[in-house]
């Protein structure tokens, strides 16, 4: 594709999804069944109306079926499926359009996913794209019969090991994905969708306490120091606000948030996306709360000039105000979290640092931890 977006001051080329590859390959196969010759290119219309011309590869054509592949191009997105071959095999049928997955396309084994248990992991968006592409071919050739489509990805079993699929309950291959058909480089939406999917699975599996953490630090701390089974955790990156919103949508009534002080202290200012490029107000929060508990100008200046939260912690200890400052900060964290969920769920919070262990925790955090431990056993 020659379409671009500007992100973080860089010009990044867009790509197309595995779903687009599958739909284009299926359309090319159907055309070849009618034309009875190999075709050099195929057009595909994305759900948004844009059109792309793609080149079918590895064509096999006979009287009964046609197969070919489209090579996935993720543009400038760091996608593990970039460059792999997505194949379709199409046969005529008496009526209807059936779509299944072959080798390298995962099978769904858990509830809470867009596809039913036992189905091939071909999401609704790509299924609709394949369906629409084949209906277009049927109209073009005035064909009133049906098609059977098999999507397969020979490299899919190995590629899947580099994805979240096994954790999500998708085995033996990759998922065929894509809502718009287009890959936007460094897409936040794709990461948030994965987070939501993991949360949905926890809900479907009957987990009452949703355990969320920004990343590996929090999950690792929970495993090593709290004894929580990390399989119950959902890593939400910097998207705390989006995660809380979706937790409420799913109906969770109990949420445990565990994270490093460097991330979670930002919640005290109501910052719900904790990426440093969005907001880095750690020093200001500590300085403000230190001033609130009576710290002098010199101490506040030291805090404002500190390079790390560990350095700030040591300044608080030296001035005998650490307990008061953390209590003050925790109060605001709880306030903003409850405001975000509109008091529709109980949220317990544990904040730690690698050097100093637990720095703040809410009163009933151990109740949620124990409940998660019971589920894990």
């Amino acid at each position: 594709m020659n379409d671009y977006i500007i992100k973080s001051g860089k010009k990044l080329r867009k790509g197309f999804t595995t779903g687009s590859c599958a739909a284009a390959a299926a359309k090319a196969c159907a055309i070849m069944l009618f034309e009875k010759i190999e075709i050099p290119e195929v057009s595909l219309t994305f759900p948004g109306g844009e059109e792309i011309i793609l080149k079918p590869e590895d064509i096999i054509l006979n009287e009964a079926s046609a197969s070919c592949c489209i090579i996935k191009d993720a543009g400038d997105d760091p996608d593990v499926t970039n460059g792999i071959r997505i194949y379709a095999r199409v046969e005529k049928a008496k009526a209807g359009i059936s779509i299944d997955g072959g080798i390298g396309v995962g099978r769904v084994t858990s509830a809470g996913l867009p596809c039913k248990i036992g189905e091939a992991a071909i999401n609704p968006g790509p299924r609709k794209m394949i369906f629409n592409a084949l209906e277009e071919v049927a109209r073009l050739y005035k064909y009133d019969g049906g098609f059977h489509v098999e999507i397969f990805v020979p490299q899919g079993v190995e590629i899947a090991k580099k994805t979240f699929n096994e954790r999500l309950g998708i085995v033996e291959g990759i998922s065929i994905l894509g809502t718009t058909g287009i890959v936007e480089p460094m897409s936040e939406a794709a990461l948030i969708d994965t987070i939501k999917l993991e949360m949905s699975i926890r809900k479907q599996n009957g987990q009452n306490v949703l355990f969320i953490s920004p990343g590996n630090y929090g999950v690792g701390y929970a495993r090593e120091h709290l004894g929580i089974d990390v399989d119950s955790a959902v890593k939400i990156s910097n998207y705390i606000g989006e995660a809380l919103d979706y937790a409420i949508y799913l109906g969770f009534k109990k949420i445990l948030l565990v994270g490093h002080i460097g991330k979670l202290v930002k919640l005290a200012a109501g910052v719900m996306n904790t990426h440093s490029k969005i907001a880095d107000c750690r020093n200001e929060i500590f300085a403000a709360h230190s001033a609130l508990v009576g710290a002098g100008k010199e101490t506040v200046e030291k805090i404002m000039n500190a390079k790390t939260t560990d350095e700030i912690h040591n300044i608080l200890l030296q001035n005998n105000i650490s307990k008061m400052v953390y209590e003050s900060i925790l109060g605001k964290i709880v306030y903003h979290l409850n405001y975000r969920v509109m008091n529709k769920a109980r949220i317990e919070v544990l904040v730690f640092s690698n050097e100093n262990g637990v720095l703040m925790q809410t009163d009933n955090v151990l109740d949620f931890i124990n409940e998660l431990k019971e589920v894990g056993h």
Side-chain angles (χ1 to χ4, degrees):
M1 290 184 71
N2 294 316
D3 229 355
Y4 294 85
I5 63 169
I6 304 299
K7 194 154 192 174
S8 300
K10 295 179 181 178
K11 185 179 180 182
L12 300 175
R13 187 171 61 87
K14 294 181 181 180
F16 46 88
T17 64
T18 50
S20 295
C21 294
K27 182 180 179 182
C29 289
I31 291 171
M32 289 188 286
L33 281 176
F34 290 105
E35 295 287 346
K36 301 188 184 305
I37 58 170
E38 298 183 6
I39 60 174
E41 61 183 32
V42 63
S43 67
L44 180 72
T45 302
F46 294 126
E50 308 97 321
E51 188 175 70
I52 188 172
I53 305 297
L54 297 170
K55 180 184 177 183
E57 305 262 5
D58 297 349
I59 298 170
I60 299 176
L61 176 62
N62 55 51
E63 284 296 318
S65 68
S67 68
C68 70
C69 75
I70 300 291
I71 298 174
K72 164 74 182 290
D73 180 359
D76 287 327
D77 194 60
D79 187 334
V80 295
T81 63
N82 185 49
I84 70 171
R85 293 170 180 259
I86 309 294
Y87 287 80
R89 182 181 295 110
V90 177
E91 301 171 353
K92 291 181 181 178
K94 287 185 178 180
I97 297 173
S98 62
I99 303 168
D100 201 1
I103 186 170
V105 174
R107 287 278 158 186
V108 175
T109 63
S110 295
L113 293 164
C115 306
K116 295 177 182 177
I117 292 175
E119 284 186 345
I122 304 172
N123 272 19
R127 284 180 184 273
K128 187 174 181 180
M129 289 179 69
I130 295 168
F131 189 90
N132 289 345
L134 293 181
E135 277 203 324
E136 181 186 337
V137 174
R139 287 194 300 271
L140 178 65
Y141 291 94
K142 297 179 173 55
Y143 172 66
D144 58 5
F147 298 99
H148 173 68
V149 184
E150 181 189 41
I151 305 300
F152 58 102
V153 186
Q155 299 161 275
V157 175
E158 282 303 311
I159 293 292
K161 295 174 183 177
K162 302 175 184 178
T163 72
F164 288 109
N165 271 16
E166 188 172 348
R167 183 179 174 87
L168 295 174
I170 299 169
V171 299
E172 297 179 359
I174 65 168
S175 301
I176 305 300
L177 302 171
T179 304
T180 65
I182 298 169
V183 175
E184 287 210 2
M186 312 297 287
S187 171
E188 292 182 359
L191 179 53
I192 292 170
D193 284 347
T194 301
I195 292 165
K196 289 179 177 178
L197 198 55
E198 287 211 46
M199 291 168 64
S200 297
I201 291 170
R202 301 297 179 277
K203 185 65 176 176
Q204 287 285 338
N205 290 342
Q207 190 171 313
N208 291 322
V209 177
L210 175 64
F211 171 28
I212 57 177
S213 181
N216 291 326
Y217 281 163
V219 172
Y221 188 88
R223 179 185 63 244
E224 294 170 19
H225 298 282
L226 306 177
I228 302 176
D229 180 1
V230 295
D231 286 340
S232 66
V234 177
K235 289 189 281 189
I236 59 173
S237 186
N238 296 292
Y239 307 109
I240 292 173
E242 285 89 346
L244 293 175
D245 294 344
Y246 202 67
I248 298 306
Y249 167 77
L250 291 173
F252 279 103
K253 299 298 182 184
K254 299 177 181 178
I255 302 169
L256 173 64
L257 172 60
V258 175
H260 189 272
I261 182 67
K263 290 282 187 190
L264 297 194
V265 71
K266 298 178 187 182
L267 299 176
V271 173
M272 293 289 161
N273 183 329
T274 57
H275 197 291
S276 58
K277 289 184 179 179
I278 301 297
D280 192 0
C281 49
R282 294 170 297 175
N283 294 58
E284 289 81 359
I285 291 167
F286 275 110
H289 286 271
S290 296
L292 283 172
V293 303
K297 182 174 181 293
E298 184 180 342
T299 299
V300 171
E301 285 180 346
K302 285 181 181 179
I303 290 169
M304 283 296 293
N305 293 322
K307 301 298 184 187
T308 66
T309 51
D310 283 332
E311 185 181 345
I312 292 172
H313 177 76
N314 290 332
I315 294 169
L316 300 180
L317 287 177
Q318 291 162 11
N319 287 271
N320 297 314
I321 56 172
S322 59
K323 186 174 185 295
M324 292 185 292
V325 169
Y326 286 128
E327 285 177 353
S328 181
I329 290 173
L330 182 60
K332 291 301 287 186
I333 289 175
V334 170
Y335 169 82
H336 285 294
L337 290 174
N338 285 331
Y339 182 79
R340 183 69 180 229
V341 302
M342 302 304 291
N343 295 308
K344 292 180 180 178
R346 280 179 56 201
I347 303 180
E348 300 294 334
V349 184
L350 186 146
V351 183
F352 69 93
S353 80
N354 296 328
E355 294 291 327
N356 301 291
V358 176
L359 301 176
M360 300 177 256
Q361 67 181 52
T362 49
D363 292 340
N364 299 307
V365 74
L366 291 178
D367 293 342
F368 283 13
I369 290 171
N370 288 333
E371 191 169 338
L372 283 167
K373 286 181 180 178
E374 289 174 11
V375 171
H377 290 94

